[in-house]
Amino acid sequence: MEFDNNTLKGLLAKLEWQLNMGVEAMIEEKNNNYFYQEKTKIINEDNTKKLETSQKSSFSKFDTETIEKKSDHREMLKNCFTLDDLKTYMLNFNGCDLKKTATQLVFSDGNPKSQVMIIGEAPGAEEDRRGIPFCGASGQLLDKMLNSISLDRNKVYITNVIPWRPPGNRTPNENEISLMKPFLMRHIEIVSPKLLVAVGGSSAKAILNIDGGILRHRGVWKEIKLRDGLEIPIIATLHPAYLLRAPNQKKLAWEDLKLIRSKLEEFNGQ
Ligand code: URA
């Protein structure tokens, strides 16, 4: 297709206007994201290789085709026994549209052997670019919050309810959350932490099935029961992105952090 100079200038002006308005992704009804398709091909080729070589894993018998055909992935998830199994399964899972506009899967960060598992909402722009949860501005505040109770990324394990960035950082909707919840629950079962911290309203709602805002539910220990019967204490706290917008609420977050510190002291007999 050829354009004359005036048409080209007009198109460039429109594009510039859209960029200035914050447009980050073009979403059409039909999936026409060639960049994504190319990337998926590379990821799938890479994973096929990994699946071929990792005969040790019980999960290795499943390939992308099997995962896509299988509608009941809850059952399939039972066959993920390790974090590698789960990550490979998620890399091959194409049932969530958020994957189409995201750059990559943001799986986890931190130490999977730690006692504390932190669960955020969904990756933002920086997390999407780097593939690491909480590595942007709110992550820096989260690190400071952890440091204030002598924790850091070697002493906690971090993931999100949603592993792909929602376009424009919108809040994930209920369908997306319920679709990805079984993955999160399997993630928790595999890590099997001593305690969980739900960071922000979406995370608290997803895990605890609660109504109402985070301010009503934060700062109280509850328990979730996993499929194997294991009960894990969980506390909800304010999201660092919210605290960056409302710094006067930091005192509430500090109350929650102190509760986490006390619980850890209880576990460790201090
Ligand atoms: N906010 C989240 O909830 N998770 C991230 O990983 C980054 C920002």
Side-chain angles (χ1 to χ4, degrees):
M1 201 186 296
E2 288 202 2
F3 298 111
D4 62 35
N5 269 354
N6 277 346
T7 315
L8 203 56
K9 268 191 203 155
L11 286 172
L12 283 173
K14 270 192 196 153
L15 196 59
E16 197 178 351
W17 180 80
Q18 288 184 334
L19 287 172
N20 288 338
M21 296 301 289
V23 172
E24 294 168 321
M26 306 299 283
I27 305 168
E28 297 174 44
E29 275 183 25
K30 185 169 145 281
N31 177 14
N32 206 9
N33 186 338
Y34 298 107
F35 176 60
Y36 159 71
Q37 286 165 5
E38 195 49 41
K39 235 176 354 149
T40 309
K41 201 170 127 233
I42 295 167
I43 289 171
N44 286 344
E45 277 168 7
D46 193 36
N47 283 319
T48 310
K49 267 190 229 135
K50 272 193 210 142
L51 286 170
E52 278 164 5
T53 49
S54 73
Q55 290 305 324
K56 265 190 246 144
S57 159
S58 57
F59 178 65
S60 62
K61 55 186 177 287
F62 302 113
D63 56 16
T64 313
E65 217 180 307
T66 320
I67 291 170
E68 276 173 20
K69 272 193 214 143
K70 193 89 188 168
S71 55
D72 189 1
H73 58 259
R74 281 168 203 254
E75 283 308 303
M76 295 273 288
L77 280 165
K78 281 190 197 160
N79 296 305
C80 297
F81 296 108
T82 65
L83 291 174
D84 276 350
D85 289 347
L86 182 65
K87 187 173 180 183
T88 306
Y89 190 95
M90 288 167 84
L91 282 166
N92 285 287
F93 178 68
N94 291 325
C96 179
D97 279 349
L98 292 175
K99 184 175 180 178
K100 296 178 185 168
T101 46
T103 305
Q104 59 185 316
L105 176 86
V106 178
F107 186 70
S108 70
D109 193 28
N111 178 359
K113 294 203 168 83
S114 55
Q115 297 183 315
V116 184
M117 182 165 178
I118 295 179
I119 300 163
E121 176 182 294
E126 189 63 11
E127 289 77 17
D128 178 63
R129 200 175 64 75
R130 293 178 52 197
I132 302 168
F134 281 104
C135 65
S138 55
Q140 282 165 20
L141 180 54
L142 179 66
D143 284 338
K144 284 188 191 152
M145 291 161 73
L146 294 173
N147 292 163
S148 72
I149 51 165
S150 310
L151 293 176
D152 58 30
R153 288 189 192 225
N154 290 318
K155 294 186 188 142
V156 300
Y157 182 73
I158 307 180
T159 191
N160 283 305
V161 176
I162 302 287
W164 295 286
R165 181 196 182 206
N169 289 353
R170 68 164 169 75
T171 306
N173 63 39
E174 278 180 24
N175 288 342
E176 289 155 353
I177 289 177
S178 65
L179 176 67
M180 296 315 297
K181 186 169 169 181
F183 293 82
L184 175 66
M185 296 318 285
R186 191 70 193 137
H187 206 153
I188 297 172
E189 282 163 6
I190 294 171
V191 175
S192 200
K194 279 263 176 71
L195 63 90
L196 287 162
V197 182
V199 169
S202 292
S203 169
K205 276 187 195 160
I207 309 169
L208 292 165
N209 303 318
I210 45 172
D211 283 329
I214 181 73
L215 289 168
R216 245 178 70 194
H217 296 283
R218 55 146 285 276
V220 184
W221 285 108
K222 300 184 181 174
E223 266 189 357
I224 59 160
K225 200 171 188 168
L226 301 180
R227 210 165 17 189
D228 58 8
L230 186 69
E231 289 180 355
I232 304 185
I234 173 167
I235 193 166
T237 190
L238 302 174
H239 197 289
Y242 169 72
L243 295 174
L244 287 171
R245 293 193 303 272
N248 59 336
Q249 299 287 52
K250 282 185 185 169
K251 54 186 178 303
L252 295 179
W254 175 234
E255 294 303 319
D256 305 342
L257 288 164
K258 283 191 292 185
L259 289 171
I260 296 167
R261 186 175 59 189
S262 305
K263 190 65 119 190
L264 282 172
E265 283 170 0
E266 228 177 83
F267 282 140
N268 299 319
Q270 286 159 14

